[in-house]
Each structure stands twice: as C-alpha cells, then as structure tokens.
Amino acid sequence: MSHYIIYFNQQWVGDHSAEWFAERGPLANAVVSEMRDAGVLVFAAGVDEDVDAALTADATSGAVAITGGLYAPAEQYIGGLTIVDVADEEAAKEWGGRIAEACGWPQQIRRVY
C-alpha cells in the first residue's frame, strides 16, 4: 500500500453561490464516507481560509521561532487535503477524480514518502 495526498489550493475553488457550495458539501462528504468504508481513508479536512490565523515554526536561525501568518507571501495556499492509503497510483487517481468531481474544482494527487 502507498500513501497519497489529494489536495487543492483555495484559489482553485472559484467564486460560487452559497447554494452551489451547499450542494457540493454532501457530495464531497459522500466520497469521504466511501473512502472510509473502502478502508483507504487516512485523513481528510479543509483548512482554515484565514491565512492570518496560520502559524509558522521556523528553526533556520538555530532557535525555533513561532510567528503568526504565512512563512512567506503566497499567491496560492492549500485549502483542503485528503490522505489515502491505496494499492497503487491508479487507485489514487480514481479517488482524486471522485473528489474533484464531487467538489467541483481541481485536485492535485501526489505520492507521500
């Protein structure tokens, strides 16, 4: 089995109505439930959209410094992620496609080592 992360950047979501989002939530939750039932789900969550609430831990100076906000200004930042434990890349692509379809925006699929 191999772990894959399936994720999206918040900027990929696009502008949609509250009704559109209300329709997508149950679809995405259904895919996560199917992953759980299939025994491949490790973790799934959305990420707080308020980047000012982010914390940065930096030890590059030799001492750990914890600061508020992003480490560096970013054009894009992660909006949500799912980690699956699947037999192969084909299975990861299948789940990534199902998440993309349910959410209505692109997903990145990458193996985790």
Side-chain angles (χ1 to χ4, degrees):
M1 300 293 275
S2 300
H3 287 96
Y4 285 81
I5 183 169
I6 304 165
Y7 66 94
F8 66 93
N9 285 339
Q10 190 61 43
Q11 292 72 16
W12 303 350
V13 173
D15 294 324
H16 304 285
S17 67
E19 294 80 18
W20 187 90
F21 282 110
E23 292 172 1
R24 302 319 269 196
L27 298 174
N29 288 333
V31 174
V32 171
S33 290
E34 290 173 29
M35 288 178 180
R36 186 176 295 110
D37 293 344
V40 301
L41 180 68
V42 175
F43 180 79
V47 176
D48 189 340
E49 293 180 36
D50 181 5
V51 294
D52 292 332
L55 298 171
T56 297
D58 181 5
T60 56
S61 68
V64 176
I66 306 293
T67 58
L70 297 174
Y71 175 68
E75 193 172 299
Q76 295 190 4
Y77 49 88
I78 195 165
L81 63 111
T82 302
I83 299 187
V84 293
D85 188 10
V86 293
D88 54 30
E89 185 177 279
E90 289 305 311
K93 291 188 315 189
E94 172 69 25
W95 288 113
R98 294 186 63 194
I99 293 172
E101 185 175 35
C103 289
W105 53 79
Q107 301 288 318
Q108 187 82 52
I109 304 164
R110 298 177 66 183
R111 188 165 182 189
V112 178
Y113 295 99

